[in-house]
């Protein structure tokens, strides 16, 4: 070879060598993205293994949410959905109460209400429970693919056990079940933007569906706002402080376009700007009015207050605290290694704030924490593997040992744990540990709803109004008798005012403690014709009121079963010629142990 040819060959070899070195950066500088696939764990990406663990996790998730119906709000949701289909319009003013009838009703739940109405017509309560369980399983399935792409399947399954426990504690048939699914899809789209940037235009579609299903659509806007803030931070950092440079697959123009269309989609609801701003009303109730609502509504109570009162010996609360601690700790090894991810840090701060404010937010916190935990562990494992990359001569042996260890020991241990959880659920021990009286099954919780009392009070000739306590049972009365017959107060805090709530409690106290000598509460409930409402009292939570009215000669017990009592004023009883009912069934309400007098 000529001297000129040798020089050319030498230059070519140097260029190839330089490109090779540049193409393989040091382990400490390798970007670790959420959605990036890696060959560091080839066995973890095997489809049969992943589907096996995902199948076990989703089956357990589905079954853990299959328990008899016990949430109250579903009944006014169902009645509203029926009326929307009959009338062809959503409500703009209250349909169901006689004291707040002129108050605006921003019913962003209307899409959910139509959905559950169709499901109830097709399959009754059983189909509602199955749909709710399927929705939770779909949420976890989407979140599985939205996070931890480099994690072995067994590790990822372990990461999602605690979030599933937390989510199952609030797994009821209510609009929140759709919000969780929408949030999981929103997070999945964001996780795929680095490789599929056009998916960003799915965000406005999700927002459109979400804003017409539940007021928590604002959570999607929060996530997107944090994503944009992360983008700006990365531009400002320019690779400093352990923050990777921004992904160039998304341009500023694309972000602005998608953001504008998403905001417009949120205005496309029957209430326009009022619907868009409605989440602020809900936020006010567990922030500004926290002191009032937290002691009256369980889901507005702060988890810290619950811990002070009852301790940590609650399966769901303990799982929430443990999940929060593990997610927080998962940031530490990454920060030590100068791997800062502003998006995850800001997400964790924002959703932790919501969870601290009210227990109703712990489900969304659990979902986001599960995604963050899986992503952080995924990044940490990739860094560890890169730093311990074996030499070429040891690759085969090390890979075989690692594959054997992962598949036989770790995979086997994880599978045994998931099967144990499944068996504990099927044998009934799981719900015993939960301590909430749930069982695996369908249908309604035994003697939980005042159906018979509501139907009795809705008969022809009965008063057109009712005072129902507790307020959850008012939804059952609404389902059977609304809107022709109305209630004084129910559980729709987006409609009923704080002042009405206080007046409702005042009436309860007067019923319970001084009936005969202070009839003012009854006169305030009279209609323009002097007609008093029917009084329907829950046997579990309104025992003082029941005892008070039983000792009040102005009122008579006309119906009683294990679930509820119906009282009418003496004038109405005489007009309808109703006999006095036997109060014996009220003595042993379901789900309560009543101490007998010695």
């Amino acid at each position: 070879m000529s001297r000129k040819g040798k020089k050319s060959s030498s230059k070519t070899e140097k260029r190839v060598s330089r490109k090779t070195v540049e193409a393989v950066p040091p382990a400490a500088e390798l970007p670790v993205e959420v959605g990036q696939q890696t060959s560091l764990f080839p066995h973890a990406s095997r489809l049969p293994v992943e589907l096996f663990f995902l199948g076990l996790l989703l089956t357990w998730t589905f079954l853990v949410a299959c328990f008899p119906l016990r949430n109250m709000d579903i009944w006014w949701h169902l009645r509203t959905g029926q009326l929307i289909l009959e009338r062809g319009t959503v409500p703009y003013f209250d349909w169901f109460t006689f004291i707040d009838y002129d108050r605006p009703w921003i019913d962003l739940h209307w899409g959910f209400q139509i959905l559950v109405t169709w499901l109830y017509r097709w399959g009754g309560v059983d189909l509602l429970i199955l749909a709710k369980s399927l929705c939770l399983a779909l949420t976890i399935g989407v979140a599985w693919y939205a996070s931890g792409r480099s994690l072995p399947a067994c590790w990822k399954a372990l990461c999602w056990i605690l979030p599933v426990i937390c989510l199952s504690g609030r797994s009821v048939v209510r609009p929140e079940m759709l919000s969780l699914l929408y949030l999981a899809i929103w997070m999945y789209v964001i996780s795929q933007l680095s490789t599929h940037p056009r998916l960003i235009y799915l965000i406005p579609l999700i927002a459109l569906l979400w804003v017409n299903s539940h007021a928590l659509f604002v959570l999607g806007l929060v996530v997107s706002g944090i994503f944009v803030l992360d983008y700006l931070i990365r531009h400002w950092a320019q690779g400093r402080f352990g923050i990777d440079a921004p992904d160039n697959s998304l341009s500023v123009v694309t972000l602005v376009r998608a953001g504008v269309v998403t905001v417009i989609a949120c205005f496309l609801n029957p209430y326009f700007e009022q619907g868009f701003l409605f989440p602020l009303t809900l936020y006010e109730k567990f922030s500004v009015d926290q002191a009032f609502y937290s002691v009256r509504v369980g889901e507005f109570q702060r988890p810290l207050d619950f811990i002070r009162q009852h301790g940590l010996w609650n399966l769901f609360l303990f799982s929430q605290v443990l999940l929060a601690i593990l997610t927080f700790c998962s940031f530490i090894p990454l920060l030590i290694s100068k791997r800062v991810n502003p998006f995850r840090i800001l997400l964790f701060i924002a959703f932790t704030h919501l969870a601290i404010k009210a227990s109703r937010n712990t489900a969304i916190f659990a979902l986001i924490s599960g995604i963050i935990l899986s992503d952080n562990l995924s990044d940490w494992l990739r860094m560890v593997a890169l730093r311990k990359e074996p030499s070429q001569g040891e690759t085969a042996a090390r890979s075989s040992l690692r594959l054997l260890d992962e598949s036989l020991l770790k995979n086997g241990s994880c599978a045994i744990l998931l099967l144990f959880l499944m068996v504990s659920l099927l044998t009934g021990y799981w719900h015993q540990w939960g301590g909430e009286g749930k069982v695996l099954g369908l249908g309604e919780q035994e003697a939980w709803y005042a159906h018979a009392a509501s139907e009795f009070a809705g008969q022809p000739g009965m008063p057109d109004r009712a005072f129902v306590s507790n307020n959850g049972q008012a939804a059952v009365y609404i389902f059977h008798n609304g809107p022709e017959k109305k209630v004084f107060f129910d559980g729709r805090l987006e409609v009923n005012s704080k002042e009405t709530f206080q007046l409702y409690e005042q009436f309860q106290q007067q019923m319970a403690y001084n009936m005969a000598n202070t009839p003012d509460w009854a006169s305030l409930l009279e209609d323009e014709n002097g007609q008093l409402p029917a009084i329907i009292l829950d046997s579990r939570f309104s025992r003082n009121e029941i005892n008070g009215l039983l000792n009040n000669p102005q009122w008579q017990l006309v119906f009683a079963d294990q679930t509820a009592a119906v009282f009418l004023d003496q004038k109405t009883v005489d007009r309808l010629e109703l006999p006095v009912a036997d109060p014996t069934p009220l003595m042993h309400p379901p789900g309560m142990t009543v101490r007998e007098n010695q």
Side-chain angles (χ1 to χ4, degrees), residues 440-456:
L440 179 64
L442 302 176
E444 297 180 13
Q445 184 79 15
E446 182 183 1
W448 196 261
Y449 300 111
H451 289 299
S454 297
E455 291 174 348
F456 179 88

Side-chain angles (χ1 to χ4, degrees), residues 525-598:
L525 289 173
E526 289 181 348
D527 63 15
E528 59 275 9
N529 298 318
Q531 173 70 62
L532 288 167
I535 308 294
I536 303 176
L537 301 176
D538 184 282
S539 64
R540 296 188 306 276
F541 304 111
S542 302
R543 298 190 67 79
N544 289 334
E545 292 89 329
I546 290 174
N547 291 331
L549 288 188
L550 284 173
N551 294 315
N552 188 336
Q554 298 178 13
W555 294 86
Q556 291 293 337
L557 178 69
V558 294
F559 176 89
D561 64 6
Q562 274 194 305
T563 308
V566 179
F567 289 88
L568 294 177
D569 65 282
Q570 189 62 55
K571 180 180 177 181
T572 304
V573 171
D574 293 340
R575 175 173 60 84
L576 297 176
E577 300 180 350
L578 293 174
V580 177
D582 179 10
T584 303
L586 300 169
M587 302 306 172
H588 299 281
M592 289 185 66
T593 301
V594 180
R595 291 182 299 177
E596 301 290 344
N597 293 328
Q598 300 296 328

Side-chain angles (χ1 to χ4, degrees), residues 47-266:
L47 188 60
V49 175
E50 182 169 8
L51 290 181
F52 172 74
F53 283 106
L54 180 59
L56 280 180
L57 179 68
L58 295 187
T59 302
W60 176 61
T61 302
F62 181 88
L63 291 176
V64 83
C66 280
F67 52 83
L69 190 71
R70 54 191 291 154
N71 62 302
M72 296 293 185
D73 288 351
I74 182 58
W75 299 108
W76 67 259
H77 281 303
L78 284 171
R79 186 57 185 144
T80 305
Q82 293 170 356
L83 292 172
I84 290 173
L85 292 174
E86 292 172 8
R87 298 179 175 183
T89 182
V90 298
Y92 291 92
F93 293 91
D94 184 35
W95 284 351
F96 300 129
T97 66
F98 61 82
I99 188 169
D100 284 329
Y101 63 90
D102 57 344
R103 288 182 61 84
W105 183 8
I106 309 299
D107 184 27
L108 294 181
H109 310 116
W110 70 274
F112 165 81
Q113 289 158 351
I114 290 177
L115 173 63
V116 294
T117 298
W118 284 337
L119 293 174
Y120 186 76
R121 288 178 177 177
W122 293 334
V125 168
D126 290 351
L127 187 56
L128 290 178
I129 296 171
L130 293 174
K132 174 254 297 185
S133 301
L134 177 62
C135 197
L136 180 60
L138 287 174
T139 299
I140 298 301
V142 174
W144 173 284
Y145 287 106
S147 61
R149 295 292 295 273
S150 297
L151 273 181
C154 63
W155 286 50
K156 192 186 291 190
L158 292 175
C159 285
W160 279 104
I161 289 177
L162 284 176
V164 169
I165 295 175
C166 299
L167 288 165
S168 68
R170 283 184 57 84
S171 178
V172 292
V173 186
R174 58 189 305 171
E176 185 179 338
M177 71 187 201
L178 295 182
S179 282
L180 291 169
L181 179 57
Y182 292 141
L183 181 58
I185 297 173
W186 201 295
M187 292 297 297
Y188 174 78
V189 170
I190 287 179
S191 73
Q192 301 296 313
L193 291 181
S194 59
T195 53
H196 302 87
R198 291 185 178 274
L199 285 179
I200 196 171
Y201 292 107
L202 285 178
I203 294 293
L205 177 60
I206 303 170
L208 179 63
L209 295 173
W210 200 346
V211 74
N212 290 288
S213 302
H214 197 199
L216 287 185
F217 73 90
V218 70
L219 296 179
L221 300 182
V222 169
V223 171
S224 291
I226 292 174
F227 179 78
V228 172
L229 184 57
D230 171 84
Y231 186 86
L232 296 175
I233 291 173
R234 291 177 186 274
H235 262 291
W236 168 78
Q238 291 297 318
R240 297 172 296 172
F241 316 115
I243 303 175
D244 291 334
D247 189 0
N248 294 326
S249 61
L250 278 176
S251 66
V252 175
V253 174
T254 301
L255 282 175
V256 171
R257 286 176 180 171
V260 170
V261 177
T262 299
V263 172
I264 292 174
C266 291

Side-chain angles (χ1 to χ4, degrees), residues 325-368:
I325 294 172
L326 290 177
T327 306
F328 175 81
C329 292
S330 70
F331 285 103
I332 296 176
L334 297 178
L335 294 176
I336 292 175
S337 302
K338 296 182 178 181
R339 303 295 306 163
V340 180
N341 190 306
F343 179 66
R344 294 180 206 159
I345 294 173
L346 293 172
L347 266 185
F348 184 70
I349 293 173
F351 283 84
T352 299
H353 166 74
L354 290 176
I356 290 174
K357 281 291 184 181
S359 61
R360 64 177 293 164
N361 298 326
T362 53
I364 56 177
F365 166 78
L367 176 62
I368 294 296

Side-chain angles (χ1 to χ4, degrees), residues 507-516 518 544-545 547-549:
F507 289 160
Q508 287 178 309
Q509 293 170 3
Q510 291 179 344
M511 284 181 194
Y513 296 115
N514 200 359
M515 301 300 99
T518 56
N544 289 334
E545 292 89 329
N547 291 331
L549 288 188

